[in-house]
Amino acid sequence: MRVLTGIQASGKLHIGNYFGAMKPMIELQEKEELFTFIANYHSLTTSKDAKLLRELTFDAAVDYLSLGINPEKTTFWVQSDVPQVLELYWMLSKFTPMGLLERAHSYKDKVAKGITANHALFSYPVLMAADILLLDTEKVPVGKDQIQHVEMTRDIATKFNNEYGEIFTLPEHVVNDEVATIPGIDGQKMSKSYDNAIDIFMETEKKLQKRCNKILSSSTPLGEPLEYDGCHIYNLASLFLDEQRKLELQARYKGGEEGYGHFKKYLKELIWDEFSEAREKREMYLNNPDLVKDILSDGAKKMRIIADEKMLQVRNAVGIL
Ligand code: ADP
Ligand code: TRP
């Protein structure tokens, strides 16, 4: 099964991103034919700073490789290294009714937030459709906010196929409902916009501990049993634990000998240990940027072959010599 995931490089990754999006993606590569790319043309719709966009693109590649994208199993590239996608975007534009784009929630939300409407922002879903259709994608794992974009892709592909024959495979979105919303240090959904995130790659253990210490907890005095149910520290810690170790932690809460400070320290250790291998890999990639570039360049090469084949079909179908 051909599965495509697109990554918007937007800075430091947090634990919510890891459990909500990255871990399921990394597990997918064991089972499916996974294609993953960094959507830097999409980022251009809102980016104002060339240096920053370059850095974010590189950092995202390093982070994903460090956390487990395996270039031997997954085709991994940067969107702009496969420019065929822009030609397809134009071809698909003709099959995209204005009304379809006008109904896009994500566009309307961005405009409501004060982002100036421009054509790239408006036609963002057509470029996403081109990403998806260029490689006969069957499944697209997405967050709920992106479902509509995959549905639009199906609409556009259907219109094209109706006119020119069965050129495109109709993709399906996959939303992983099992993944719970990971809480931040205040108990609300963890998000980089709410200043409540715990980043995956904190510079030092001390800084990570400081962040964990900020997790909101009740004020039961030390020496009394604590309630783990609904405790943000427990909820975060349990992400890293199997059933047996969850029971052990519950027993420690009920034991009444430890306070929240102990559990915050325990959580810090869980996080620090979970990502220790990834931290080492990250150091290695940061010290060997050429290795990262080579991996991305190999991925793009593979993709360009697939893209050329598809574009030949498309060009033939529409009558472009
Ligand atoms: P943020 O809210 O920090 O801006 P993004 O919107 O960039 O995060 O999300 C990137 C991916 O991580 C999406 O697939 C999203 O579903 C997932 N994700 C982000 N925050 C959480 C969370 N708190 N719990 C579960 N998944 C999350
Ligand atoms: N729009 C997606 C997001 O913001 C990123 C993306 C671009 C994408 N092209 C894609 C995701 C193709 C899946 C498939 O998260």
Side-chain angles (χ1 to χ4, degrees):
M1 178 87 65
R2 238 178 212 191
V3 181
L4 176 70
T5 59
I7 299 164
Q8 281 266 22
S10 52
K12 289 189 178 163
L13 293 166
H14 54 67
I15 289 172
N17 298 141
Y18 180 70
F19 286 101
M22 305 176 75
K23 197 161 177 246
M25 182 200 298
I26 286 156
E27 285 165 2
L28 257 184
Q29 68 186 347
E30 304 303 326
K31 297 182 264 172
E32 311 288 358
E33 196 190 352
L34 183 63
F35 291 79
T36 297
F37 70 100
I38 302 173
N40 62 338
Y41 277 146
H42 277 109
S43 301
L44 214 47
T45 55
T46 46
S47 158
K48 293 193 177 93
D49 182 336
K51 183 167 169 277
L52 182 65
L53 180 57
R54 246 190 312 272
E55 282 170 7
L56 287 175
T57 305
F58 179 76
D59 289 350
V62 167
D63 287 351
Y64 274 76
L65 288 169
S66 308
L67 286 161
I69 287 287
N70 178 349
E72 289 180 4
K73 292 187 175 156
T74 296
T75 310
F76 186 43
W77 75 100
V78 177
Q79 188 180 31
S80 57
D81 285 339
V82 186
Q84 287 88 333
V85 76
L86 290 179
E87 185 183 1
L88 183 56
Y89 158 78
W90 181 247
M91 308 276 195
L92 298 178
S93 288
K94 179 180 161 209
F95 296 90
T96 311
M98 294 296 283
L100 189 73
L101 294 178
E102 279 158 2
R103 285 193 296 277
H105 307 305
S106 146
Y107 169 73
K108 287 194 279 192
D109 289 350
K110 283 178 184 156
V111 172
K113 275 189 197 145
I115 298 176
T116 315
N118 60 43
H119 180 256
L121 198 66
F122 186 62
S123 63
Y124 179 117
V126 191
L127 182 56
M128 182 156 161
D131 293 324
I132 296 171
L133 299 176
L134 192 59
L135 70 147
D136 290 320
T137 304
E138 293 163 271
K139 300 268 182 203
V140 191
V142 283
K144 291 202 178 75
D145 60 317
Q146 297 291 318
I147 295 176
Q148 193 190 25
H149 288 158
V150 182
E151 284 168 350
M152 291 162 95
T153 303
R154 289 173 65 89
D155 286 352
I156 296 168
T158 304
K159 283 195 179 12
F160 188 103
N161 285 353
N162 284 344
E163 189 144 332
Y164 290 119
E166 293 300 306
I167 304 288
F168 295 121
T169 303
L170 298 192
E172 279 173 22
H173 67 259
V174 187
V175 177
N176 195 345
D177 286 325
E178 280 164 35
V179 177
T181 300
I182 313 298
I185 57 172
D186 56 358
Q188 307 303 307
K189 175 188 184 277
M190 187 180 290
S191 167
K192 60 180 168 299
S193 340
Y194 304 156
D195 192 25
N196 67 354
I198 301 179
D199 292 340
I200 297 175
F201 295 116
M202 297 286 262
E203 292 136 48
T204 62
E205 230 175 316
K206 209 168 158 191
K207 284 195 179 158
L208 176 59
Q209 185 65 68
K210 259 185 137 172
R211 196 65 181 151
C212 291
N213 290 346
K214 292 215 171 114
I215 299 172
L216 217 62
S217 53
S218 73
S219 50
T220 319
L222 191 64
E224 281 181 32
L226 300 179
E227 186 51 73
Y228 62 84
D229 194 20
C231 171
H232 305 325
I233 310 165
Y234 176 83
N235 287 343
L236 284 166
S238 62
L239 294 167
F240 300 88
L241 300 175
D242 59 21
E243 286 311 312
Q244 176 60 30
R245 292 177 76 204
K246 272 187 222 168
L247 290 175
E248 286 166 15
L249 182 58
Q250 290 172 14
R252 285 173 62 187
Y253 266 75
K254 287 186 210 147
E257 281 161 28
E258 296 175 279
Y260 290 113
H262 295 96
F263 299 127
K264 287 175 178 173
K265 192 151 179 281
Y266 178 58
L267 174 63
K268 183 271 296 176
E269 279 157 17
L270 289 174
I271 300 172
W272 193 255
D273 288 352
E274 173 88 8
F275 298 116
S276 71
E277 198 187 318
R279 254 193 323 276
E280 277 170 27
K281 272 195 182 167
R282 189 162 174 268
E283 273 310 300
M284 187 274 290
Y285 283 124
L286 289 174
N287 290 325
N288 295 283
D290 285 345
L291 184 58
V292 179
K293 284 178 200 155
D294 286 348
I295 291 171
L296 293 171
S297 144
D298 284 353
K301 239 183 250 162
K302 273 193 228 160
M303 258 315 291
R304 283 195 297 265
I305 293 171
I306 296 176
D308 278 339
E309 260 175 45
K310 189 55 143 190
M311 287 318 295
L312 192 65
Q313 278 180 27
V314 175
R315 286 165 147 248
N316 278 336
V318 302
I320 296 281
L321 293 180

